[in-house]
Amino acid sequence: MCHRSDQIFFSFLFFFSFNIQTSRQLHDAALASVTLPHLPPIRLSCIRGLVAPSYQGPCLHPDCNLTGCEGNRLYIMSTSPLLMRIQLPHHKNACKWGQASIEFDLPAELAELLYTYLGEPCRALLDHHLLIGQNCPYVFMNMHGRGFERGKRCDMQFHTRLAQNILEPACSFGG
């Protein structure tokens, strides 16, 4: 026999897990959108280290020695109309370009997707994965609520996950 309190508890668990699943799907959709060809060519290493607009702190790039550097960062330039910009001081050609950053504004649809994700869905994922008081400064995170690690093996795992969870279902949607 199921008590009323048990029903409420299980309803809460169902809602909470659905919220986490939806949040992860929104995360993956935003991540896939950033890697698709409607933006300038960006290496995965730049996206992996993209810092959220809410992060207040020093550059997190492991090899950075630039004074005042804020790292590879997503900025919210305005909310009405919504305008978001990516600035990448750490990229493959930074030395050749005299430390010049790559900077570009996001298309409106992608900005809206990222802005939505960085609200409640991102908080839900962080609350689900991290201990109280911990935080993830990055826009995108792994399945444990932490930034993606560096290395070719991680890049391959990321691309495999992206293909399995985003691209394959989208391709089979119509038929």
Side-chain angles (χ1 to χ4, degrees):
M1 178 174 207
C2 191
H3 297 285
R4 177 80 177 132
S5 62
D6 290 340
Q7 290 173 335
I8 292 169
F9 176 73
F10 288 119
S11 295
F12 173 76
L13 283 179
F14 174 76
F15 172 76
F16 185 72
S17 65
F18 177 76
N19 192 16
I20 296 301
Q21 180 181 4
T22 303
S23 297
R24 176 51 65 180
Q25 290 169 341
L26 192 56
H27 168 275
D28 290 350
L31 184 54
S33 296
V34 172
T35 62
L36 295 176
H38 58 272
L39 296 178
I42 308 170
R43 289 178 170 260
L44 186 56
S45 59
C46 293
I47 294 169
R48 180 188 320 114
L50 196 62
V51 176
S54 60
Y55 175 71
Q56 300 293 317
C59 178
L60 298 174
H61 192 276
D63 301 325
C64 182
N65 56 9
L66 302 171
T67 305
C69 181
E70 295 184 333
N72 290 352
R73 183 176 287 267
L74 176 66
Y75 290 97
I76 299 173
M77 306 307 288
S78 70
T79 56
S80 183
L82 182 60
L83 176 62
M84 297 179 91
R85 178 172 294 152
I86 290 181
Q87 182 178 17
L88 305 169
H90 302 290
H91 56 88
K92 179 183 177 183
N93 294 316
C95 291
K96 289 181 189 175
W97 295 2
Q99 301 304 330
S101 294
I102 296 173
E103 251 183 65
F104 55 91
D105 294 340
L106 297 178
E109 296 83 10
L110 180 54
E112 192 66 41
L113 177 63
L114 280 168
Y115 189 76
T116 301
Y117 159 69
L118 289 170
E120 282 301 314
C122 185
R123 279 191 289 282
L125 288 175
L126 291 172
D127 289 347
H128 179 72
H129 291 297
L130 300 179
L131 299 174
I132 294 173
Q134 289 182 324
N135 205 350
C136 179
Y138 300 104
V139 172
F140 302 111
M141 62 188 89
N142 65 17
M143 293 301 290
H144 304 288
R146 292 175 175 69
F148 287 104
E149 295 180 22
R150 298 173 74 177
K152 289 182 181 179
R153 182 170 174 252
C154 292
D155 289 353
M156 286 189 55
Q157 289 173 345
F158 164 76
H159 282 295
T160 301
R161 175 174 157 55
L162 187 64
Q164 290 172 340
N165 294 340
I166 302 292
L167 301 177
E168 286 176 8
C171 291
S172 64
F173 178 69

